[in-house]
């Protein structure tokens, strides 16, 4: 399965996929990396891996849908069947989702459905939960909402510090994203309403 990775910043989750690909451990093929921010450090990492990159600022577009259509045009030549949102800090529209026949997945830094939104780690720490984690899920029309593919849990101390928590969570994110991407690319996921079954072979 050909996949495009969508990023906005640092790109460590994207890098985990590219490193796995270089090591022959990724069941999908990353055909391109797109960023809505031209200055995203992720783009340098992608280039260093020899992966095609593309960027497009949202500024010139009247609404989310117009931007998403322009993004699809921009990446059309990659012929990606699926998209991975790896720190892509934009809400995608149904037009975006329709551009990927095998679907779109997202990595989120909390145990959904707890703490959706742009500040999952900060919100979990502020709430005082003693367990948080990360979630990889299929993307649907609602934010951080679609069927869950994989999760990892992380125990938190009392009054956990958000920055320290983010650093501890990151390796779990990388592991979870790789696992979910491989299951998806291998055609082993069967979505039944909200639930995702995993075929063993
Ligand atoms: C990660 O915490 C991811 O879960 C969230 O945004 C962050 C991106 O980090 N969606 P990176 O750019 O992959 O390093």
């Amino acid at each position: 399965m050909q996949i495009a990775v969508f990023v906005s910043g640092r790109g460590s989750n994207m890098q985990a996929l590219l490193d796995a690909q270089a090591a022959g451990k990724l069941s999908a093929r990353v055909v391109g990396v797109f960023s809505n921010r031209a200055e995203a450090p992720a783009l340098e990492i992608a280039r260093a891996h020899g992966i095609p990159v593309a960027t497009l600022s949202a500024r010139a577009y009247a609404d989310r849908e117009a931007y998403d259509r322009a993004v699809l045009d921009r990446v059309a030549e990659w012929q990606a069947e699926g998209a991975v949102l790896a720190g892509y800090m934009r809400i995608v529209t149904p037009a975006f989702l329709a551009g990927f026949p095998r679907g779109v997945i997202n990595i989120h830094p909390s145990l959904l459905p707890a703490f959706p939104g742009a500040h999952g780690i900060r919100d979990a720490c502020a709430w005082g939960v003693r367990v948080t984690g990360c979630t990889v899920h299929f993307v649907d029309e609602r934010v951080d909402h679609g069927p869950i593919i994989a999760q990892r849990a992380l125990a938190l101390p009392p009054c956990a510090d958000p920055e320290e928590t983010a650093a501890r969570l990151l390796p779990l994110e990388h592991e979870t994203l790789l696992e979910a991407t491989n299951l998806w690319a291998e055609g082993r996921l069967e979505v039944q309403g909200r639930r995702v079954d995993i075929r063993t072979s």
Side-chain angles (χ1 to χ4, degrees), residues 112-126:
L112 292 173
F115 310 115
H119 305 288
I121 297 172
R122 189 190 73 188
D123 295 347
C125 290

Side-chain angles (χ1 to χ4, degrees), residues 46-116:
R47 286 193 192 99
H49 277 79
I51 305 293
V53 301
T55 67
L56 187 65
S57 161
R59 275 205 197 109
Y61 295 89
D63 55 35
R64 287 187 205 286
E65 188 179 323
Y67 177 67
D68 278 354
R69 289 190 190 284
V71 170
L72 289 178
D73 277 355
R74 190 83 184 72
V75 304
E77 61 180 337
W78 296 342
Q79 300 191 323
E81 303 160 80
V84 176
L85 310 185
Y88 187 54
M89 301 308 285
R90 288 193 57 86
I91 295 170
V92 298
T93 63
F96 182 95
L97 300 179
F100 299 98
R102 299 274 302 268
V104 179
I105 69 172
N106 177 51
I107 171 92
H108 181 77
S110 77
L111 289 177
L112 292 173
F115 310 115

Side-chain angles (χ1 to χ4, degrees), residues 7-15 42 85-89 106-110 117-118 121 134-135 144 166 169-170 173-174 177:
V7 297
S8 296
R10 178 178 57 184
S12 72
N13 279 284
M14 174 212 71
Q15 179 165 11
L85 310 185
Y88 187 54
M89 301 308 285
N106 177 51
I107 171 92
H108 181 77
S110 77
I121 297 172
C134 61
T135 304
D144 299 330
L169 191 56
L170 207 54
E173 290 192 33
H174 300 163
L177 183 60

